[in-house]
mmCIF file of all heavy atoms in Angstrom:
data_model
loop_
_atom_site.group_PDB
_atom_site.id
_atom_site.type_symbol
_atom_site.label_atom_id
_atom_site.label_comp_id
_atom_site.label_asym_id
_atom_site.label_seq_id
_atom_site.Cartn_x
_atom_site.Cartn_y
_atom_site.Cartn_z
ATOM 1 N N LYS B 251 129.254 62.188 90.203
ATOM 2 C CA LYS B 251 130.048 62.504 91.390
ATOM 3 C C LYS B 251 130.020 61.359 92.431
ATOM 4 O O LYS B 251 131.042 61.072 93.027
ATOM 5 C CB LYS B 251 129.533 63.784 92.047
ATOM 6 C CG LYS B 251 130.274 64.193 93.335
ATOM 7 C CD LYS B 251 131.518 64.967 93.014
ATOM 8 C CE LYS B 251 132.187 65.454 94.297
ATOM 9 N NZ LYS B 251 133.417 66.210 93.961
ATOM 10 N N THR B 252 128.845 60.760 92.600
ATOM 11 C CA THR B 252 128.713 59.701 93.567
ATOM 12 C C THR B 252 129.105 58.342 92.966
ATOM 13 O O THR B 252 129.040 57.313 93.651
ATOM 14 C CB THR B 252 127.283 59.632 94.109
ATOM 15 O OG1 THR B 252 126.374 59.520 93.005
ATOM 16 C CG2 THR B 252 126.941 60.847 94.941
ATOM 17 N N GLU B 253 129.455 58.329 91.693
ATOM 18 C CA GLU B 253 129.809 57.084 90.978
ATOM 19 C C GLU B 253 128.699 56.040 91.156
ATOM 20 O O GLU B 253 128.930 54.901 91.476
ATOM 21 C CB GLU B 253 131.160 56.563 91.456
ATOM 22 C CG GLU B 253 132.299 57.452 91.007
ATOM 23 C CD GLU B 253 133.633 57.107 91.618
ATOM 24 O OE1 GLU B 253 133.701 56.148 92.453
ATOM 25 O OE2 GLU B 253 134.629 57.739 91.283
ATOM 26 N N THR B 254 127.478 56.543 90.935
ATOM 27 C CA THR B 254 126.346 55.622 90.986
ATOM 28 C C THR B 254 125.548 55.726 89.674
ATOM 29 O O THR B 254 125.772 56.632 88.890
ATOM 30 C CB THR B 254 125.385 55.962 92.156
ATOM 31 O OG1 THR B 254 124.977 57.351 92.040
ATOM 32 C CG2 THR B 254 126.045 55.723 93.526
ATOM 33 N N THR B 255 124.646 54.742 89.503
ATOM 34 C CA THR B 255 123.733 54.797 88.365
ATOM 35 C C THR B 255 122.331 54.627 88.896
ATOM 36 O O THR B 255 122.147 54.340 90.111
ATOM 37 C CB THR B 255 124.024 53.658 87.356
ATOM 38 O OG1 THR B 255 123.695 52.440 88.019
ATOM 39 C CG2 THR B 255 125.434 53.679 86.902
ATOM 40 N N ALA B 256 121.368 54.724 88.036
ATOM 41 C CA ALA B 256 119.948 54.577 88.440
ATOM 42 C C ALA B 256 119.712 53.243 89.135
ATOM 43 O O ALA B 256 118.879 53.128 90.020
ATOM 44 C CB ALA B 256 119.035 54.781 87.258
ATOM 45 N N GLU B 257 120.465 52.198 88.740
ATOM 46 C CA GLU B 257 120.283 50.881 89.315
ATOM 47 C C GLU B 257 120.599 50.823 90.813
ATOM 48 O O GLU B 257 120.170 49.915 91.516
ATOM 49 C CB GLU B 257 121.202 49.844 88.663
ATOM 50 C CG GLU B 257 120.594 49.223 87.415
ATOM 51 C CD GLU B 257 121.042 49.986 86.181
ATOM 52 O OE1 GLU B 257 122.273 50.081 85.930
ATOM 53 O OE2 GLU B 257 120.169 50.489 85.441
ATOM 54 N N ASP B 258 121.379 51.821 91.312
ATOM 55 C CA ASP B 258 121.755 51.798 92.726
ATOM 56 C C ASP B 258 120.655 52.295 93.631
ATOM 57 O O ASP B 258 120.807 52.252 94.845
ATOM 58 C CB ASP B 258 123.011 52.650 92.916
ATOM 59 C CG ASP B 258 124.233 52.045 92.213
ATOM 60 O OD1 ASP B 258 124.541 50.900 92.475
ATOM 61 O OD2 ASP B 258 124.836 52.755 91.379
ATOM 62 N N TYR B 259 119.565 52.780 93.049
ATOM 63 C CA TYR B 259 118.505 53.387 93.895
ATOM 64 C C TYR B 259 117.202 52.577 93.728
ATOM 65 O O TYR B 259 116.879 52.030 92.680
ATOM 66 C CB TYR B 259 118.265 54.830 93.498
ATOM 67 C CG TYR B 259 119.523 55.673 93.672
ATOM 68 C CD1 TYR B 259 120.353 55.943 92.568
ATOM 69 C CD2 TYR B 259 119.883 56.181 94.927
ATOM 70 C CE1 TYR B 259 121.537 56.658 92.726
ATOM 71 C CE2 TYR B 259 121.056 56.898 95.074
ATOM 72 C CZ TYR B 259 121.884 57.138 93.989
ATOM 73 O OH TYR B 259 123.047 57.863 94.162
ATOM 74 N N ASP B 260 116.466 52.522 94.855
ATOM 75 C CA ASP B 260 115.198 51.826 94.862
ATOM 76 C C ASP B 260 114.011 52.746 94.520
ATOM 77 O O ASP B 260 112.962 52.268 94.092
ATOM 78 C CB ASP B 260 114.967 51.200 96.244
ATOM 79 C CG ASP B 260 116.096 50.327 96.673
ATOM 80 O OD1 ASP B 260 116.466 49.387 95.896
ATOM 81 O OD2 ASP B 260 116.686 50.554 97.738
ATOM 82 N N ALA B 261 114.196 53.994 94.839
ATOM 83 C CA ALA B 261 113.081 54.940 94.595
ATOM 84 C C ALA B 261 113.627 56.265 94.156
ATOM 85 O O ALA B 261 114.699 56.693 94.582
ATOM 86 C CB ALA B 261 112.257 55.099 95.881
ATOM 87 N N PHE B 262 112.870 56.934 93.288
ATOM 88 C CA PHE B 262 113.257 58.277 92.789
ATOM 89 C C PHE B 262 112.091 59.183 93.134
ATOM 90 O O PHE B 262 110.970 59.017 92.616
ATOM 91 C CB PHE B 262 113.464 58.251 91.268
ATOM 92 C CG PHE B 262 114.537 57.249 90.886
ATOM 93 C CD1 PHE B 262 114.193 55.930 90.622
ATOM 94 C CD2 PHE B 262 115.871 57.623 90.835
ATOM 95 C CE1 PHE B 262 115.171 55.037 90.279
ATOM 96 C CE2 PHE B 262 116.811 56.722 90.464
ATOM 97 C CZ PHE B 262 116.493 55.405 90.204
ATOM 98 N N VAL B 263 112.356 60.159 94.012
ATOM 99 C CA VAL B 263 111.234 61.027 94.430
ATOM 100 C C VAL B 263 111.521 62.430 93.981
ATOM 101 O O VAL B 263 112.509 63.050 94.428
ATOM 102 C CB VAL B 263 111.069 60.969 95.954
ATOM 103 C CG1 VAL B 263 109.796 61.655 96.373
ATOM 104 C CG2 VAL B 263 111.073 59.527 96.427
ATOM 105 N N PHE B 264 110.679 62.893 93.061
ATOM 106 C CA PHE B 264 110.874 64.271 92.512
ATOM 107 C C PHE B 264 109.886 65.214 93.088
ATOM 108 O O PHE B 264 108.735 64.822 93.435
ATOM 109 C CB PHE B 264 110.717 64.241 91.001
ATOM 110 C CG PHE B 264 111.722 63.399 90.311
ATOM 111 C CD1 PHE B 264 111.349 62.286 89.557
ATOM 112 C CD2 PHE B 264 113.078 63.736 90.366
ATOM 113 C CE1 PHE B 264 112.285 61.491 88.923
ATOM 114 C CE2 PHE B 264 114.028 62.944 89.737
ATOM 115 C CZ PHE B 264 113.638 61.825 89.006
ATOM 116 N N HIS B 265 110.248 66.483 93.109
ATOM 117 C CA HIS B 265 109.311 67.525 93.441
ATOM 118 C C HIS B 265 108.113 67.372 92.493
ATOM 119 O O HIS B 265 108.306 67.194 91.308
ATOM 120 C CB HIS B 265 109.954 68.902 93.275
ATOM 121 C CG HIS B 265 108.933 69.991 93.206
ATOM 122 N ND1 HIS B 265 107.962 70.204 94.202
ATOM 123 C CD2 HIS B 265 108.677 70.939 92.259
ATOM 124 C CE1 HIS B 265 107.180 71.218 93.846
ATOM 125 N NE2 HIS B 265 107.588 71.653 92.681
ATOM 126 N N GLN B 266 106.919 67.403 93.076
ATOM 127 C CA GLN B 266 105.725 67.140 92.292
ATOM 128 C C GLN B 266 105.197 68.416 91.624
ATOM 129 O O GLN B 266 104.173 69.004 92.028
ATOM 130 C CB GLN B 266 104.626 66.520 93.206
ATOM 131 C CG GLN B 266 105.092 65.263 93.909
ATOM 132 C CD GLN B 266 105.104 64.057 92.988
ATOM 133 O OE1 GLN B 266 104.055 63.645 92.526
ATOM 134 N NE2 GLN B 266 106.275 63.487 92.741
ATOM 135 N N ALA B 267 105.891 68.839 90.603
ATOM 136 C CA ALA B 267 105.517 70.094 89.886
ATOM 137 C C ALA B 267 104.338 69.816 88.977
ATOM 138 O O ALA B 267 103.271 70.372 89.097
ATOM 139 C CB ALA B 267 106.684 70.621 89.107
ATOM 140 N N ASN B 268 104.598 68.981 87.977
ATOM 141 C CA ASN B 268 103.527 68.505 87.143
ATOM 142 C C ASN B 268 103.957 67.208 86.438
ATOM 143 O O ASN B 268 105.160 66.968 86.324
ATOM 144 C CB ASN B 268 103.027 69.592 86.184
ATOM 145 C CG ASN B 268 103.748 69.717 84.870
ATOM 146 O OD1 ASN B 268 104.177 68.744 84.261
ATOM 147 N ND2 ASN B 268 103.915 70.973 84.439
#
Side-chain angles (χ1 to χ4, degrees):
Chain B
K251 179 82 176 181
T252 54
E253 290 172 359
T254 55
T255 66
E257 273 94 58
D258 294 304
Y259 301 96
D260 304 306
F262 302 88
V263 190
F264 297 117
H265 162 56
Q266 304 283 295
N268 87 37

